[in-house]
Amino acid sequence: MDIHVVWALVAALVLIVGIALVAWALVQRKKSPTLPPAHQPQLAEELAIPEEEKKEPERDVPEDGSTRMRRLRSRLAHSANPFGKALFSILTRDNLSEADWEEVEDTLLLADVGAETSQQIVEQLRKDARVEDAQNSLAIREMLRTQLLQAVQTDAHGQAYDRELELHAQPDASATHVIMMVGVNGSGKTTTTGKLARLLLGEGMESIVLGAADTFRAAAADQLQTWADRVGVPVVRSEKEGADPASVAFEAAERAEADAANVLIIDTAGRLQNKANLMDELGKIRRVTEKKLPVGEVLLVLDATTGQNGMVQAKVFAQAIGITGIVLTKLDGSAKGGIVISVQRELGVPVKFVGLGEGPDDLARFDAEGFVDGILGD
């Protein structure tokens, strides 16, 4: 064999072996990408998580209840047209005429107090006014305050309203108390659910679970999740839009029971395009939830600015689901404050909470004296 052919074969063999060794080395490097010991401390330092990133994300501290109603009173007193001020200005006129009394009644009607209740208040004011000197503004104001308080604090039969939540009326530490939130879309129901969780946390509730059972409205669960994340409250939700609301509510009840939570708050759908189907769905949510936990409270969220127009919607919910209380949103600065009186009289249940504005802590327990003093501008 020619010597040149031999050397060519040797060179080819060496080249093949070299390529094989390089390939093997690359495979081993991918399998075990460790650095020499000298470089490992540097790598560990680069990959270390800073201490500040290891901490829990900072959460909001909900405001306690002591300042919430004071803020509402201040806002009502400084609003453009609280009806109490208008009534006071009429009643302090000299020698009230029949036209003046008609103006008093019109003011009550415009404030959405309701026709029957407005007439009762005017009749009582006329009786009291006969024995009061119109020049004595303090006496007139106290007379008006007494009548408004009577209308706000009592039902059509003169019985005082009980505004306590079921969880406070029966504070069993081992029980999970369930609150269902109902109302039409646009009334602020989901936002109110988040604010109520904040309020209860601010009052000392240690463990709350939220159920996102409004599965038909786009982004409702995301909205509730945002509120919950701010205060570290878990949300049970479905990632699938249009999922069965009752199924979500049942899972939320299971989670609340497993966590031994103090409170479970369930946000529900509120579309009124088909009232029968909606009410059937709300009834199903309640029945399914009560397979795990009893529902102690059903709160109707109502937009105060809708006035008497909202009463029709309120009656539908009251008849279908059996509400135990009312949350009035957008009450601050409204000349429609009389809706507090009329909605209680119409539905036979008390206003338990009022929305003060857009802030995260702008939800307060309803306080009759604070409300009346606010609309009188005290």
Side-chain angles (χ1 to χ4, degrees):
M1 181 180 293
D2 191 321
I3 189 64
H4 296 292
V5 175
V6 173
W7 282 111
L9 290 173
V10 172
L13 182 61
V14 170
L15 180 61
I16 291 171
V17 172
I19 293 173
L21 289 172
V22 170
W24 180 82
L26 289 174
V27 169
Q28 292 302 310
R29 185 174 181 180
K30 288 182 179 179
K31 288 182 178 179
S32 181
T34 55
L35 294 176
H39 296 280
Q40 287 180 2
Q42 180 182 352
L43 178 63
E45 184 178 345
E46 290 174 357
L47 295 178
I49 301 174
E51 284 298 319
E52 58 271 17
E53 293 183 16
K54 292 180 182 179
K55 297 177 182 176
E56 289 287 329
E58 189 171 345
R59 294 170 180 166
D60 290 356
V61 177
E63 187 178 87
D64 62 37
S66 62
T67 60
R68 292 173 184 252
M69 198 61 207
R70 287 202 303 270
R71 190 162 67 252
L72 173 63
R73 185 184 302 195
S74 175
R75 290 184 182 181
L76 287 171
H78 292 90
S79 62
N81 188 24
F83 69 92
K85 288 181 181 178
L87 291 175
F88 182 67
S89 67
I90 299 169
L91 292 173
T92 50
R93 295 172 186 170
D94 290 333
N95 302 318
L96 292 177
S97 65
E98 193 63 34
D100 291 327
W101 286 112
E102 288 180 2
E103 189 177 349
V104 170
E105 188 167 353
D106 288 344
T107 300
L108 290 168
L109 289 171
L110 289 171
D112 282 328
V113 172
E116 184 178 348
T117 306
S118 295
Q119 187 176 8
Q120 291 173 356
I121 292 175
V122 169
E123 287 178 359
Q124 189 60 50
L125 285 173
R126 292 188 77 155
K127 290 179 183 177
D128 294 343
R130 293 194 187 104
V131 296
E132 294 292 352
D133 180 2
Q135 298 302 311
N136 186 348
S137 60
L138 289 178
I140 292 294
R141 186 194 178 284
E142 190 57 36
M143 175 186 72
L144 178 58
R145 183 178 187 274
T146 298
Q147 287 305 309
L148 291 176
L149 269 177
Q150 177 71 13
V152 170
Q153 288 180 321
T154 60
D155 62 21
H157 306 289
Q159 299 296 313
Y161 290 114
D162 180 5
R163 303 185 196 276
E164 282 292 337
L165 289 175
E166 177 268 346
L167 67 91
H168 293 107
Q170 302 180 24
D172 183 351
S174 64
T176 298
H177 300 272
V178 181
I179 302 173
M180 276 183 65
M181 309 294 287
V182 301
V184 299
N185 286 344
S187 61
K189 178 169 48 59
T190 300
T191 296
T192 300
T193 301
K195 289 182 178 181
L196 179 59
R198 292 179 64 93
L199 184 149
L200 294 176
L201 286 170
E203 292 181 344
M205 287 293 163
E206 297 179 355
S207 176
I208 295 176
V209 173
L210 301 182
D214 183 356
T215 60
F216 299 118
R217 184 169 66 87
D222 290 339
Q223 184 182 357
L224 191 62
Q225 186 76 58
T226 299
W227 280 101
D229 289 344
R230 295 175 69 170
V231 288
V233 171
V235 177
V236 176
R237 56 181 293 183
S238 172
E239 297 303 327
K240 180 183 177 183
E241 188 175 328
D244 180 19
S247 175
V248 176
F250 184 78
E251 290 179 17
E254 284 188 320
R255 170 69 183 271
E257 185 179 50
D259 290 356
N262 301 125
V263 184
L264 166 63
I265 309 177
I266 302 175
D267 183 29
T268 65
R271 295 187 303 179
L272 271 179
Q273 286 87 339
N274 188 322
K275 295 178 184 178
N277 286 352
L278 172 60
M279 298 310 156
D280 288 345
E281 190 62 58
L282 291 177
K284 179 182 176 183
I285 289 173
R286 179 166 189 164
R287 291 192 303 273
V288 168
T289 301
E290 289 189 327
K291 290 180 179 179
K292 295 298 294 183
L293 297 169
V295 175
E297 202 86 43
V298 180
L299 298 180
L300 172 66
V301 181
L302 190 64
D303 183 340
T305 63
T306 62
Q308 293 299 312
N309 293 329
M311 292 300 297
V312 176
Q313 300 169 350
K315 288 179 181 178
V316 172
F317 283 96
Q319 293 167 0
I321 194 68
I323 62 174
T324 59
I326 304 156
V327 183
L328 275 178
T329 63
K330 307 175 188 177
L331 181 64
D332 60 311
S334 173
K336 302 282 188 179
I339 190 69
V340 170
I341 299 170
S342 59
V343 74
Q344 291 183 148
R345 293 287 175 93
E346 288 287 341
L347 303 182
V349 296
V351 172
K352 294 191 174 184
F353 298 93
V354 288
L356 320 180
E358 301 299 324
D361 290 307
D362 285 345
L363 182 73
R365 290 181 177 276
F366 182 75
D367 173 70
E369 292 193 4
F371 171 73
V372 170
D373 288 340
I375 61 176
L376 285 174
D378 184 22

